[in-house]
Amino acid sequence: MAAANGSNGSNGSNGSLADFVWKNAEDLWGSFRHTDFGKIILPFTLLRRLECVLDATRDAVVAAAIAPENDGLDLQIVLPQITRHPPLWRRSGRAHLRELIERLNCLFGGATPLADQVAFVNHLAAIAGESSAVLAQVENNSREQALKGNLPGAVQQGVVRSLSSYEKQARQVLKADQQGLAVLTGIVYDVMKRQGRIELDRPHA
């Protein structure tokens, strides 16, 4: 894709950029069949674009990944500080929301409406977030480490505090075994780690 390093003759518009990408892709057509073009050429075009975006911090990222002092640390926390790019999972809101809804359905079933389940989890995340220790553990540690910290206790206390406002959901969790509470704690962790609350008006189909 050497041609991509030269002038593209575009004025910066999306249409001109798309034309430029397609022109370079056609130059690389080679012996690929027409029907295989989208499966092969376009993915490599995207990978090359990602490589160019990350080029400025590549050496620093490699050094951080192999540094002895980072051994055992969650690189999803370490590397964004170097690249200045947020982790990819923070930008995959639709898939993340769909996954959370599926986990809520497994935990609560059809006993209560989905909107009530979501409000309950958001409430628990807000309660857990009242603790600076919990917030620090969620933000600065891996999932496994955070779930061994103060978060499980904070979630359990939040469930008890929620008996008056979310009685059905709270009692359902309290009647379940410890595994059910662990599943709920994992959901609360993901909500706190990624966006702070679940927004049902976001598309999840």
Side-chain angles (χ1 to χ4, degrees):
M1 295 190 179
N5 293 325
S7 173
N8 60 18
S10 72
N11 60 6
S13 68
N14 290 337
S16 298
L17 181 59
D19 291 341
F20 174 66
V21 170
W22 276 107
K23 180 183 181 303
N24 281 275
E26 289 172 358
D27 291 340
L28 296 171
W29 200 291
S31 59
F32 292 120
R33 292 183 302 174
H34 221 125
T35 54
D36 291 335
F37 183 73
K39 301 175 184 177
I40 300 173
I41 299 298
L42 291 183
F44 276 100
T45 302
L46 174 60
L47 288 174
R48 174 57 180 160
R49 174 57 183 159
L50 291 175
E51 183 183 30
C52 291
V53 169
L54 299 176
D55 182 67
T57 57
R58 181 187 293 113
D59 293 341
V61 167
V62 172
I66 64 177
E69 60 268 24
N70 289 336
D71 186 35
L73 295 181
D74 186 351
L75 292 180
Q76 291 192 78
I77 297 173
V78 175
L79 296 184
Q81 300 173 6
I82 299 172
T83 64
R84 299 179 298 278
H85 292 288
L88 286 177
W89 53 253
R90 288 186 179 172
R91 299 193 289 266
S92 57
R94 181 178 300 180
H96 175 53
L97 178 59
R98 183 167 55 246
E99 178 191 348
L100 286 178
I101 290 175
E102 290 173 355
R103 290 160 66 188
L104 285 173
N105 287 334
C106 291
L107 179 62
F108 292 104
T112 56
L114 176 60
D116 292 346
Q117 298 171 19
V118 168
F120 177 55
V121 170
N122 286 339
H123 183 64
L124 293 179
I127 291 176
E130 294 173 358
S131 168
S132 58
V134 170
L135 282 176
Q137 291 171 7
V138 169
E139 182 65 26
N140 300 320
N141 293 281
S142 67
R143 177 188 179 90
E144 181 181 4
Q145 291 170 324
L147 293 180
K148 292 179 180 178
N150 296 350
L151 181 60
V155 171
Q156 188 169 14
Q157 293 175 11
V159 171
V160 174
R161 285 174 54 180
S162 301
L163 281 169
S164 59
S165 51
Y166 297 95
E167 182 179 2
K168 290 183 178 180
Q169 293 81 15
R171 290 194 179 280
Q172 186 173 351
V173 172
L174 292 174
K175 288 180 180 179
D177 54 19
Q178 287 297 313
Q179 185 177 1
L181 184 60
V183 171
L184 178 61
T185 302
I187 295 174
V188 172
Y189 166 84
D190 286 335
V191 171
M192 295 179 66
K193 184 77 172 181
R194 304 192 182 194
Q195 76 269 17
R197 62 182 291 109
I198 304 174
E199 299 290 350
L200 276 184
D201 56 348
R202 297 171 64 184
H204 58 270

